[in-house]
Amino acid sequence: MRTALVYHEEMTAARLLWDDPECEIERPERLTAAVERLQQGGLEQRCLQLAAREASEAELGLVHSPEYVSLMRGTQALSTEELQALSGQYDAVYFHPSTFHCARLAAGAALQLVDAVLTGTAHNGLALVRPPGHHSQRAAANGFCVFNNVAIAARYAQKRHGVHRILIVDWDVHHGQGIQYIFEDDPSVLYFSWHRYEHGRFWPYLRESDADAVGLGPGRGFTVNLPWNQVGMGNADYMAAFLHVLLPVAFEFDPELVLVSAGFDSAIGDPEGQMQATPECFAHLTQLLQVLAGGRVCAVLEGGYHLESLSQSVCMVVKALLGDPAPPLLGPMVPQHSALESIQSVRAAQAPHWTSLWQQGSTPTLSLSTCSPERRPSPVSPGGPKCKAAEAQTSAVLSSLLDRLHLCATPPVRTAIALTAPAAAMVLPPDILRQEESAPREETQAWARLHEALTQDTAFTALGKVLHLLNGILDGQVSSGIATTPAAASTLEVVLRQGLSHGAQRVFCVALGQLDRPPDLANDGRTLWLNIRGKEAAALSTLHVSVPLSGPMASRTPKLHSWLPFYGDQRGAESWSSWSRSPHASLWESWPGCCMETPPRAWVPSPWPPQTTCRPWCT
């Protein structure tokens, strides 16, 4: 994995030239403090370092009007008095002769990061920029922001790279109304923002920052506002917001790219936010986002005005992007009543638009599953028994999740591959480890006795490599692996038994093609077997699901996207029709939260957005 770090020291040139207590907190030291902390921790050296370029005026025009870009260009020639007068025409903004250059570098840094990630040069990354961008609108500077860096990056990703679905996560403590205005009628961009709101009494004092502002026209449901109505929100509140609201919706949206408006005025110690989330929390939030879009996460700096808190939080995000394990979150993981109320209000506002937010009962749950649309959430009474029950449930599930997050260190090897001739000559990407080692001969011989086919020379050699690879995965040294073998069915049985004997409690096996399940593992309760094969396949038992492929696909090597029902494939529909007549249909339909339809809407040709489709296979 490569993490890109985009920066240019010339972005520190702009500074306030007159007295203005409101604007003085946006100063060059915000960048230099973050960069110095990254260097001291050895993090900068571990990243792919890219020098920011200026965005072209055509690229700025993806979001901003030509007249506004021309006005900003003209600030380069203004006197201090003229700059101050122009600044006064906007809300919480100051201009400097270097502002236009700095703002173009900031936007260009975001574009460079998107290019690096979407071309595969980097897997993810962070752009350290100023001025920030998320308040800037089509023809107006606002809240220290000149050009809307993240919005420009989103439009650029769509136009230059053909990306269709983009998630923007804005964890700055202020509402990024500029991003909201730009995309509020656009279903191709899902915008999520939490922000200090206090029932409209906190800047920018907008009614459209509340939870019921969900977008306009075809974009309804693609603006998700989570307003914090009191200060002091901490780690538990932020994690609950991600688990209750953002992740369910994001999984349903299925983004191809994640952009983060990474403002750290939402961290502890910042005078603007007055929140209590520690820097470690942002490592956990970043980890959670990395399960989306294949890990293509591009974070762009927004606010953050307490230099120590800002720099530590930046380091935590970079560590998470690099794959380092997130430190434990200290303190009680119990969300506040006010946080649960805010979470419930946004879930209620968004439930008509996202099946993942339909739920039984009236309290928030952390399940990502769906249920009957007739059961809609209702508000939680402050301090009432439902709120307390939700708090207790949230605390328990959060604690369990966080234990798993910080106790499972990132394996030193991402992906290993064990090949046998003739595949051994294959050229592998540089970040894939070619495994040459084998398990001890005595161990391999013991397992080979299960099947005569495994005693043959080539199969025996392959088995030793597979066992070594599996042991590395089970011991936490390898994240994932690929292996080739001439005796697939026999080797698969050994892998299943080795995994169970190693202490695995539950094993999920997806078998593509004519691979039979070992008879004595059929109903042991520890293995779930999903078999995708020809049209003669039939459902065999509760823990053995067999999906038949009919038509031309029956004679081909199955591909995952050919049978998943929600891809709208007629062959998938035929397979579903067969499967739905099996004993599994009633079994899975009875699971809480399973959303089954007859016929599933996923096969009705319809355009995005996702509220027009229903995924019958529970996510």
Side-chain angles (χ1 to χ4, degrees):
M1 179 186 297
R2 302 188 75 187
T3 294
L5 182 64
V6 191
Y7 170 71
H8 202 299
E9 63 181 6
E10 291 181 11
M11 282 186 280
T12 63
R15 62 177 61 246
L16 184 63
L17 298 176
W18 54 86
D19 290 334
D20 185 341
E22 184 178 33
C23 291
E24 65 185 7
I25 59 174
E26 206 297 294
R27 52 199 178 109
E29 290 77 11
R30 296 179 57 242
L31 284 192
T32 56
V35 172
E36 288 171 2
R37 181 60 68 93
L38 288 171
Q39 293 170 341
Q40 293 167 3
L43 297 172
E44 182 187 51
Q45 299 88 319
R46 295 173 59 192
C47 295
L48 172 65
Q49 299 172 46
L50 301 174
R53 67 167 176 88
E54 285 188 331
S56 69
E57 293 196 15
E59 289 166 340
L60 298 177
L62 293 172
V63 164
H64 298 286
S65 69
E67 296 78 13
Y68 176 67
V69 174
S70 177
L71 178 64
M72 293 300 100
R73 186 193 321 118
T75 59
Q76 299 173 102
L78 297 183
S79 66
T80 300
E81 292 74 17
E82 291 170 324
L83 289 168
Q84 186 172 5
L86 180 61
S87 301
Q89 298 178 24
Y90 299 102
D91 185 5
V93 170
Y94 71 87
F95 295 115
H96 181 277
S98 297
T99 291
F100 184 63
H101 175 55
C102 292
R104 289 180 65 186
L105 284 174
L111 301 186
Q112 271 188 289
L113 180 56
V114 166
D115 277 336
V117 169
L118 293 181
T119 60
T121 304
H123 189 65
N124 55 40
L126 169 68
L128 284 175
V129 306
R130 65 179 291 268
H134 68 148
H135 300 304
S136 176
Q137 296 147 46
R138 175 171 169 77
N142 185 266
F144 308 151
C145 301
V146 178
F147 298 129
N148 202 311
N149 308 317
V150 167
I152 295 170
R155 286 291 184 228
Y156 178 83
Q158 292 175 328
K159 183 175 181 180
R160 181 66 178 272
H161 297 282
V163 176
H164 297 99
R165 297 181 305 282
I166 298 174
L167 169 64
I168 298 177
V169 178
D170 189 342
W171 67 45
D172 190 281
V173 85
H174 300 91
H175 180 218
Q177 81 277 28
I179 299 178
Q180 177 169 316
Y181 294 154
I182 291 165
F183 298 113
E184 61 187 347
D185 61 351
D186 185 348
S188 70
V189 176
L190 173 61
Y191 175 61
F192 169 86
S193 173
W194 68 36
H195 38 267
R196 182 177 169 185
Y197 184 60
E198 297 182 271
H199 302 289
R201 295 189 295 271
F202 185 72
W203 193 92
Y205 314 110
L206 298 173
R207 176 64 184 83
E208 55 266 35
S209 302
D210 209 350
D212 58 0
V214 298
L216 303 175
R220 288 186 61 80
F222 294 90
T223 295
V224 182
N225 284 316
L226 201 167
W228 300 128
N229 287 317
Q230 69 178 41
V231 298
M233 297 299 167
N235 296 337
D237 307 301
Y238 285 6
M239 294 297 292
F242 261 48
L243 295 170
H244 282 310
V245 179
L246 174 60
L247 290 180
V249 171
F251 277 116
E252 188 173 344
F253 180 65
D254 191 22
E256 298 168 284
L257 175 67
V258 178
L259 300 176
V260 183
S261 279
F264 298 104
D265 43 10
S266 52
I268 190 169
D270 195 280
E272 286 289 293
Q274 299 182 37
M275 299 300 181
Q276 296 296 317
T278 63
E280 294 79 11
C281 184
F282 295 95
H284 288 274
L285 299 180
T286 303
Q287 279 189 342
L288 291 174
L289 292 178
Q290 287 178 281
V291 303
L292 301 166
R296 292 181 290 276
V297 177
C298 298
V300 181
L301 183 64
E302 298 284 0
Y305 308 100
H306 185 286
L307 299 186
E308 181 69 15
S309 180
L310 165 66
S311 58
Q312 287 192 27
S313 298
V314 165
C315 287
M316 286 295 170
V317 168
V318 172
K319 285 183 178 181
L321 292 174
L322 285 166
D324 293 355
L329 292 179
L330 303 178
M333 292 305 298
V334 180
Q336 302 180 49
H337 293 302
S338 178
L340 289 176
E341 290 173 350
S342 293
I343 288 169
Q344 188 63 15
S345 66
V346 68
R347 285 175 63 93
Q350 294 290 340
H353 309 289
W354 300 97
T355 59
S356 55
L357 298 183
W358 297 345
Q359 61 184 42
Q360 291 182 335
S362 59
T363 58
T365 67
L366 298 187
S367 171
L368 303 188
S369 61
T370 57
C371 69
S372 171
E374 288 78 22
R375 296 171 178 147
R376 295 291 172 83
S378 58
V380 177
S381 302
K386 290 182 179 179
C387 189
K388 291 178 180 178
E391 177 182 295
Q393 180 194 30
T394 302
S395 176
V397 179
L398 278 176
S399 297
S400 174
L401 172 73
L402 293 173
D403 285 343
R404 293 196 299 273
L405 281 175
H406 67 71
L407 290 179
C408 299
T410 303
V413 177
R414 297 289 178 181
T415 302
I417 185 165
L419 301 174
T420 56
M426 183 185 303
V427 177
L428 302 179
D431 55 342
I432 303 296
L433 174 68
R434 184 188 296 272
Q435 178 199 287
E436 302 294 349
E437 302 90 340
S438 296
R441 186 173 182 84
E442 297 77 13
E443 179 185 356
T444 307
Q445 287 176 332
W447 285 112
R449 294 191 189 102
L450 289 176
H451 294 280
E452 183 178 350
L454 295 176
T455 62
Q456 306 302 315
D457 289 346
T458 304
F460 184 83
T461 300
L463 177 62
K465 290 188 174 184
V466 171
L467 289 172
H468 184 81
L469 176 58
L470 177 63
N471 289 335
I473 293 173
L474 293 172
D475 291 339
Q477 298 301 307
V478 181
S479 291
S480 58
I482 303 171
T484 60
T485 174
S490 302
T491 304
L492 181 58
E493 179 180 347
V494 169
V495 167
L496 283 171
R497 296 185 185 281
Q498 168 71 335
L500 294 170
S501 67
H502 199 283
Q505 299 299 310
R506 294 176 299 280
V507 179
F508 178 36
C509 180
V510 180
L512 301 175
Q514 307 297 325
L515 294 173
D516 295 323
R517 180 177 188 158
D520 58 330
L521 294 179
N523 287 293
D524 70 344
R526 295 188 295 169
T527 60
L528 174 60
W529 182 281
L530 177 59
N531 200 180
I532 306 164
R533 56 198 297 179
K535 60 183 179 181
E536 77 285 356
L540 303 178
S541 70
T542 301
L543 293 172
H544 186 156
V545 181
S546 192
V547 180
L549 290 170
S550 57
M553 284 304 297
S555 59
R556 303 181 192 172
T557 300
K559 291 184 174 60
L560 194 60
H561 68 266
S562 299
W563 66 267
L564 286 179
F566 52 80
Y567 272 86
D569 192 307
Q570 179 58 35
R571 291 167 300 207
E574 294 167 358
S575 296
W576 170 265
S577 177
S578 175
W579 186 87
S580 64
R581 292 191 295 269
S582 75
H584 297 291
S586 58
L587 172 70
W588 284 57
E589 190 171 8
S590 67
W591 282 22
C594 194
C595 177
M596 310 283 275
E597 296 191 359
T598 307
R601 281 180 287 165
W603 300 317
V604 179
S606 60
W608 193 261
Q611 63 259 35
T612 62
T613 62
C614 175
R615 297 184 175 188
W617 292 61
C618 291
T619 55

